[in-house]
Amino acid sequence: MTYATTRLYEEIAYIAYHFHWQREDILDLSHGERRQWVREIARINTRVNEGG
């Protein structure tokens, strides 16, 4: 099973946008690590948007 290329690009763009990490550094992360960072960014954004 392969990971959808469009989903990979979305994750890279999301992490790079929020944390300003380089593409190569993000690609060095395992799939699980990337997904965890995406979840953490989403959690932070939700908290900020809710005023907390």
Side-chain angles (χ1 to χ4, degrees):
M1 178 185 222
T2 60
Y3 198 54
T5 304
T6 54
R7 184 65 181 162
L8 178 61
Y9 279 115
E10 289 172 357
E11 288 180 1
I12 292 169
Y14 192 69
I15 295 169
Y17 176 81
H18 288 281
F19 286 167
H20 308 286
W21 292 356
Q22 297 297 310
R23 180 177 54 103
E24 293 79 18
D25 295 331
I26 299 167
L27 285 171
D28 283 342
L29 299 172
S30 71
H31 169 72
E33 289 174 311
R34 270 194 321 275
R35 292 298 306 144
Q36 183 61 40
W37 283 115
V38 166
R39 284 190 296 271
E40 287 300 314
I41 293 167
R43 186 181 62 76
I44 292 166
N45 284 338
T46 298
R47 189 174 67 220
V48 167
N49 290 334
E50 291 175 350

